[in-house]
């Protein structure tokens, strides 16, 4: 939910950056870079603490952190597509910049967005587990692997499985999402697909 909640604002911010003038793009790109440069877990922790512990706080914190990442992901490829000849032809035909962005830019970076969203699922799981471990994520009675790790910590010598199983669940789930993301990147990218077939 946090990833999906960040999807529309992130894409909208990226489009707003590339839709403006060169000066606007320079200023907004630096703002987006600043958001990306901030440590994600620190941003999520501060926001979750300010909002209050719970599922909503964790989702909101993760979503706010993901918005500049998605915007940064769009800016570079969108600028490349806007330099293509068929885009210049669309402008010569009288199409507006927003029409070009929606008709030509978004469809051409759709695969990149899908792959990034898949990878961000694994990031969201890691951050939510960290927030719950620190006590500002999901609260009882909602189950959370991060809180299970925290509550099993005092029993690590007598019952280590209380920490091993949640840790394995987090690790395997994150690994699965990363493998899915790598597979989708290979599927959507013709060059990567050709390399995979050659192997």
């Amino acid at each position: 939910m946090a990833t999906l909640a960040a999807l529309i604002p992130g894409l909208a911010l990226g489009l707003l950056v590339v839709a403006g003038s060169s000066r606007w793009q320079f200023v907004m790109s630096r703002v987006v870079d600043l958001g990306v440069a901030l440590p994600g877990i620190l941003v999520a922790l501060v926001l979750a603490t300010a909002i209050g512990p719970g599922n909503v706080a964790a989702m909101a914190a993760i979503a706010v952190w993901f918005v500049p990442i998605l915007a940064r992901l769009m800016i570079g490829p969108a600028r490349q597509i806007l330099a293509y000849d068929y885009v210049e032809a669309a402008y010569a035909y009288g199409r507006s910049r927003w029409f070009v962005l929606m008709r030509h830019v978004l469809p051409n970076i759709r695969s990149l967005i899908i792959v990034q969203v898949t990878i961000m699922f694994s990031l969201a799981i890691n951050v939510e587990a960290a927030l719950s471990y620190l006590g500002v994520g999901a609260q009882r009675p909602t189950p959370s692997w991060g809180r299970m790790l925290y509550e099993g910590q005092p029993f690590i010598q007598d019952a280590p499985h209380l920490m091993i199983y949640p840790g394995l669940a987090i690790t395997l789930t994150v690994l699965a999402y990363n493998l899915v993301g790598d597979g989708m990147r290979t599927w959507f990218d013709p060059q990567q697909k050709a390399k995979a077939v050659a192997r």
Side-chain angles (χ1 to χ4, degrees):
M1 291 302 297
T3 304
L4 296 177
L7 186 59
I8 300 301
L11 297 180
L13 179 59
L15 289 176
L16 283 173
V17 172
V18 297
S21 62
S22 57
R23 180 175 298 180
W24 166 264
Q25 291 186 28
F26 176 80
V27 173
M28 291 304 297
S29 294
R30 301 292 80 78
V31 173
V32 171
D33 289 340
L34 178 62
V36 173
L38 294 174
I41 187 62
L42 179 61
V43 173
L45 183 60
V46 170
L47 289 173
T49 304
I51 298 172
N55 287 338
V56 175
M59 286 190 291
I62 296 170
V64 169
W65 174 43
F66 280 171
V67 167
I69 295 176
L70 283 167
R72 177 75 266 175
L73 176 75
M74 286 191 60
I75 293 172
R79 285 174 175 168
Q80 291 180 351
I81 294 170
L82 288 174
Y84 289 163
D85 291 338
Y86 66 85
V87 173
E88 295 295 331
Y91 284 138
Y93 190 70
R95 301 300 187 185
S96 66
R97 192 170 183 86
W98 278 104
F99 177 87
V100 170
L101 290 173
M102 301 302 294
R103 179 65 179 83
H104 297 294
V105 173
L106 274 181
N108 282 299
I109 63 174
R110 179 177 53 199
S111 60
L112 184 66
I113 295 169
I114 293 173
V115 172
Q116 182 64 25
V117 166
T118 306
I119 295 173
M120 288 170 71
F121 284 156
S122 63
L123 289 175
I125 292 172
N126 267 332
V127 174
E128 191 283 326
L131 293 176
S132 296
Y133 182 85
L134 295 172
V136 294
Q139 303 295 308
R140 288 179 176 276
T142 304
S144 170
W145 287 328
R147 200 181 67 251
M148 290 177 188
L149 283 173
Y150 176 78
E151 293 177 351
Q153 192 171 348
F155 311 102
I156 188 170
Q157 293 188 0
D158 299 327
H161 63 278
L162 295 178
M163 292 192 68
I164 291 174
Y165 292 155
L168 279 176
I170 295 171
T171 302
L172 293 176
T173 306
V174 169
L175 177 62
Y177 274 120
N178 283 329
L179 291 176
V180 169
D182 289 340
M184 294 182 72
R185 183 185 295 114
T186 303
W187 177 261
F188 284 119
D189 189 345
Q191 295 180 351
Q192 294 289 337
K193 198 172 184 178
K195 290 180 182 178
V197 171
R199 291 175 185 171

